[in-house]
Amino acid sequence: MCGICGSLNWGDAGLVRSMVNTLRHRGPDESGVFSAEGVGLGHARISIIDLAGGRQPMPNDDKSLWITFNGEIFNYVELRDELIRKGHRFATLSDTEVVLHMYMEEGERCVERFNGQWAFGIWDARRRRLFLSRDRLGVRPLFYTQPRGGFLFASEIKALFACPEVERELDLLALDQVFTFWAPLAPRTAFRSVQQLPPGHCLAVENGSVRVWPYWRLEYAPEDAAEDREERLSEELLALLEDATRIRLRSDVPVGVYLSGGLDSTLITALTGKLAGDRPRTFSVSFEDAEFDESRYQREASMFLATEHSDVRCSNNDIAGVFPDVIRHAEQPLVRTAPAPLFLLSKLVRDSGYKVVLTGEGADEAMGGYDIFKEAKIRRFWARRPESEMRPLLLKRLYPYMENLQQQPAAYLRKSFHVDGGSPGPFFSHEPRWQLTARLKAFFSGAVKAEVAPYDGVAELQGRLPEQYATWDTFLRAQFLETAHFLPGYILAAQGDRMAMAHSVEGRFPFLDCRVVEFAARLPVRLKMKVLNEKYLLKQCAGGLIPPAVRNRPKQPYRAPDGKCFLEPAAREYLDELLSPECIRRYGVFDPAPVARLLAKFRSGRAIGVKDNMALTGVVSTQLLVQQFASPRGQWLSTNASS
């Protein structure tokens, strides 16, 4: 894993060096800069593959091509052998050089051959063409901006801000998206001047024009497309996961595993132990607050699999203490504090001498594990008899940790969960979540409300849907929304890459192997969720590999304490200033009066429910973002916000 950056038709090597310096947390082992007329590439490296020979930026033999590469191509060994048979000669053992030679062999279509997680830039000197690419699922980030006709790209937005010409105004429509979907919809970012290359896309800058195009799309098979026997599909899934884990263990440094105590990470740990042939090194987060703690299952899994285990025990004060650093690395507002414990976890991994960890991320999206999939199924079941007083009890059983929900009558739940017996719309599964989050916009200032009022983020998202979406059932639509938007925008960004790389740790995700994702997309829904038994086929293939208590436990989503963390002593250093009426008015994003009432509600112990928690977290995180990346030009509000 690394940090990459570059410039075209802008600045000089000094700018690229400044950009690299902002990325040293992503690559503390070494750095490099390539500079030629009108172009510069920069690199900050974590040495994982070919420790001595993988220096970057890296050229081909005649130096007509240069690459700066972030990530891993896990099938690079097989691709290298194929290229050697075709006459290619290699100077290193790195996967970076394989990317370069695949580009020489197949041009921009080379990305279709890669199994991995990547963001890279290739400078083609002969054509004076800059080629960028990002992996299929969006594991690795890639941002770009175009100041005054130039072009800059980087792994993180803060590197682009090393150029004083890059404006730092908030994108208010992106803020509206965060306060609906939890993250900006690519290509938007939190900043108007900066875009992100969407997952599964490439970009080329040539002859003064910028072209962006997709090379991969997520597609699902209709329900009747797979009638294979369950046993055979279970065996095939396990074989794919085993091979996905095997190639992700390719490393010249030790590889650890995140062990959350759930099905997904425990299975990856089991496969790691089987394939590596030694005792897995595992890491986890535990919480002082019993409501969020899963350490019992973590210990059981560790004992069953004979791992060498460490955990970071996280208090509310710990979350409050690191939250400003979390926002500095996330570079976007957050409505949950869940990234903060993962920030602390990656520090534990690095302090333990590890640079690489495997995780179980992606299984819920690919195999149908999230509560939102169950919720949609329950809502459709309830909608057949909207007047029922018994069917809403299923929702209360689904969310036992939501105390406020447990006290509500059926009529309230019917309205909140949109159970009216009508035909489900295209976003049936996500409407309750989005509308709950959108209620946080009540805290916006009058000026912000006026600027975003004409905008409809849900309508924009609907306009982006693939043609096949209309043929998918509710379950597959929910999977698509989670995988195509929530996964790269929040899970892999704010909770994934940015928190791990804050401490120079590379995360690897066997469940996001393109073969696994495409296989799962072809599975019939009945094998993903049987009645309300989530990830059914995955549980079948896990078999005796993991402890029965872990395999059979009810799904517990990863959560962390939210709003109450900001009442802790560690928050006093920043909270009183950031939420003061003067600061709220100066930054201009929120209305001081409702923010003051919200804070008073928490301090008096009257704050309850998801909405209050998300509201306080969203306000604090946005204020921190403005404070840390404030525009030297002053105003955040812009009459061009709708552009």
Side-chain angles (χ1 to χ4, degrees):
M1 282 310 306
C2 308
I4 65 172
C5 59
S7 68
L8 183 62
N9 301 325
W10 186 269
D12 54 22
L15 171 61
V16 177
R17 289 192 187 95
S18 297
M19 295 169 73
V20 170
N21 287 338
T22 69
L23 299 172
R24 291 307 298 266
H25 56 283
R26 296 186 70 93
D29 295 338
E30 60 183 5
S31 63
V33 170
F34 159 73
S35 180
E37 183 180 356
V39 65
L41 301 178
H43 194 263
R45 185 185 183 208
I46 299 178
S47 304
I48 293 174
I49 299 289
D50 192 1
L51 305 186
R55 295 183 181 89
Q56 297 186 49
M58 180 182 290
N60 64 345
D61 289 342
D62 65 6
K63 298 187 178 180
S64 62
L65 298 174
W66 286 81
I67 185 172
T68 182
F69 172 65
N70 168 31
E72 307 287 350
I73 304 301
F74 297 115
N75 63 334
Y76 79 99
V77 174
E78 293 78 9
L79 292 175
R80 189 175 190 272
D81 290 344
E82 176 186 324
L83 288 164
I84 289 173
R85 290 193 296 270
K86 292 180 177 180
H88 290 256
R89 300 173 67 178
F90 289 84
T92 75
L93 298 174
S94 69
D95 58 339
T96 304
E97 192 177 11
V98 171
V99 175
L100 207 50
H101 281 260
M102 283 299 298
Y103 180 81
M104 293 165 61
E105 182 70 24
E106 300 193 9
E108 63 189 33
R109 296 198 64 178
C110 66
V111 296
E112 298 171 16
R113 302 290 309 283
F114 298 151
N115 184 345
Q117 49 193 50
W118 69 82
F120 64 77
I122 293 177
W123 171 244
D124 187 332
R126 289 197 179 100
R127 297 179 59 178
R128 294 201 60 79
R129 179 179 190 261
L130 180 64
F131 175 68
L132 306 181
S133 178
R134 189 178 179 199
D135 64 72
R136 295 172 180 83
L137 278 304
V139 176
R140 299 302 162 210
L142 190 55
F143 301 97
Y144 64 95
T145 186
Q146 301 177 67
R148 291 199 291 113
F151 186 91
L152 307 176
F153 70 91
S155 295
E156 296 186 8
I157 295 172
K158 59 180 66 69
L160 301 177
F161 288 160
C163 175
E165 298 295 324
V166 177
E167 297 182 356
R168 302 185 179 195
E169 292 181 355
L170 283 181
D171 184 332
L172 298 181
L173 300 192
L175 188 66
D176 184 274
Q177 292 171 354
V178 170
F179 279 60
T180 303
F181 310 120
W182 293 29
L185 298 175
R188 286 191 185 273
T189 72
F191 301 92
R192 287 186 56 235
S193 64
V194 178
Q195 293 181 290
Q196 58 177 310
L197 185 63
H201 280 65
C202 295
L203 179 153
V205 187
E206 189 173 15
N207 298 324
S209 66
V210 177
R211 179 171 64 99
V212 178
W213 69 95
Y215 65 87
W216 183 84
R217 287 188 174 93
L218 184 63
E219 297 181 358
Y220 294 97
E223 175 62 25
D224 60 355
E227 295 295 338
D228 296 282
R229 286 171 49 246
E230 180 181 308
E231 183 179 352
R232 191 192 71 78
L233 289 170
S234 175
E235 292 172 353
E236 187 175 350
L237 175 59
L238 184 59
L240 282 172
L241 284 172
E242 186 168 321
D243 195 61
T245 304
R246 178 185 65 83
I247 62 176
R248 280 162 180 75
L249 290 171
R250 288 174 168 169
S251 171
D252 293 330
V253 298
V255 179
V257 190
Y258 280 169
L259 182 59
S260 71
L263 168 68
D264 315 327
S265 65
T266 305
L267 178 56
I268 297 304
T269 303
L271 294 175
T272 299
K274 175 183 176 181
L275 294 163
D278 56 11
R279 190 179 183 190
R281 184 71 169 92
T282 54
F283 304 90
S284 66
V285 171
S286 61
F287 291 96
E288 288 186 357
D289 190 330
E291 179 183 349
F292 305 93
D293 188 54
E294 297 182 76
S295 58
R296 167 195 160 192
Y297 295 101
Q298 294 162 4
R299 289 192 298 269
E300 184 159 355
S302 176
M303 291 179 61
F304 185 90
L305 299 173
T307 78
E308 181 184 350
H309 189 67
S310 301
D311 75 335
V312 56
R313 191 152 184 82
C314 193
S315 70
N316 294 356
N317 197 56
D318 294 330
I319 293 172
V322 300
F323 200 67
D325 287 334
V326 166
I327 298 305
R328 183 168 62 86
H329 286 283
E331 298 178 333
Q332 67 184 50
L334 302 174
V335 295
R336 306 305 294 262
T337 65
L342 298 175
F343 176 89
L344 293 167
L345 178 59
S346 69
K347 183 179 187 301
L348 170 65
V349 171
R350 189 68 188 201
D351 290 347
S352 301
Y354 280 73
K355 300 179 181 181
V356 183
V357 288
L358 271 59
T359 91
E361 207 66 78
D364 287 314
E365 290 82 2
M367 301 304 301
Y370 282 130
D371 284 344
I372 200 166
F373 303 140
K374 288 185 183 180
E375 178 191 299
K377 196 168 187 177
I378 291 170
R379 288 168 53 220
R380 292 200 68 173
F381 172 67
W382 184 9
R384 295 176 197 145
R385 289 182 55 193
E387 74 286 352
S388 173
E389 296 289 326
M390 299 300 294
R391 297 190 179 196
L393 297 179
L394 291 170
L395 285 172
K396 294 187 176 184
R397 290 183 59 187
L398 180 61
Y399 298 120
Y401 50 85
M402 293 185 181
E403 295 181 11
N404 189 42
L405 182 145
Q406 300 300 318
Q407 303 166 10
Q408 302 301 332
Y412 175 89
L413 296 177
R414 187 181 303 115
K415 181 178 179 181
S416 298
F417 286 94
H418 302 271
V419 178
D420 56 14
S423 177
F427 300 129
F428 174 81
S429 59
H430 284 62
E431 285 173 352
R433 177 201 282 181
W434 292 347
Q435 292 196 15
L436 174 63
T437 310
R439 291 166 64 189
L440 309 185
K441 298 173 195 177
F443 292 90
F444 285 169
S445 68
V448 170
K449 287 178 180 176
E451 290 214 31
V452 302
Y455 174 68
D456 186 340
V458 175
E460 178 179 334
L461 183 57
Q462 187 166 355
R464 299 186 186 188
L465 296 176
E467 291 182 8
Q468 307 96 314
Y469 189 88
T471 69
W472 300 337
D473 71 6
T474 301
F475 190 96
L476 295 180
R477 291 178 181 183
Q479 277 195 284
F480 175 83
L481 295 173
E482 289 293 296
T483 307
H485 298 290
F486 189 67
L487 178 69
Y490 176 75
I491 298 292
L492 294 176
Q495 288 190 184
D497 172 89
R498 314 312 286 279
M499 296 305 103
M501 292 303 291
H503 295 291
S504 311
V505 173
E506 172 181 291
R508 297 181 176 183
F509 311 90
F511 282 105
L512 295 180
D513 185 295
C514 56
R515 300 167 299 170
V516 175
V517 171
E518 290 169 355
F519 171 83
R522 295 192 300 268
L523 288 173
V525 170
R526 66 182 181 278
L527 294 183
K528 298 174 186 178
M529 182 175 290
K530 185 163 284 192
V531 189
L532 292 179
N533 185 6
E534 78 280 357
K535 291 186 287 196
Y536 172 78
L537 192 69
L538 185 61
K539 291 176 180 177
Q540 297 306 107
C541 82
L545 293 172
I546 66 175
V550 172
R551 179 176 178 269
N552 299 324
R553 65 176 289 206
K555 168 71 177 175
Q556 179 173 333
Y558 167 67
R559 299 182 301 128
D562 286 309
K564 58 186 176 183
C565 296
F566 300 113
L567 304 180
E568 296 290 335
R572 291 174 189 157
E573 296 182 12
Y574 56 88
L575 192 74
D576 288 344
E577 176 190 352
L578 284 175
L579 299 194
S580 68
E582 296 76 20
C583 190
I584 294 285
R585 278 192 290 268
R586 185 167 69 252
Y587 289 173
V589 179
F590 299 106
D591 184 338
V595 170
R597 289 193 294 270
L598 176 66
L599 187 57
K601 191 175 182 182
F602 269 92
R603 286 176 169 166
S604 66
R606 295 179 292 109
I608 57 172
V610 174
K611 176 179 173 289
D612 287 342
N613 278 291
M614 288 197 302
L616 186 57
T617 305
V619 170
V620 172
S621 64
T622 305
Q623 290 290 100
L624 283 168
L625 189 74
V626 175
Q627 180 188 65
Q628 294 170 352
F629 296 100
S631 170
R633 291 165 178 79
Q635 295 301 313
W636 287 89
L637 298 178
S638 168
T639 55
N640 297 318
S642 60
S643 63

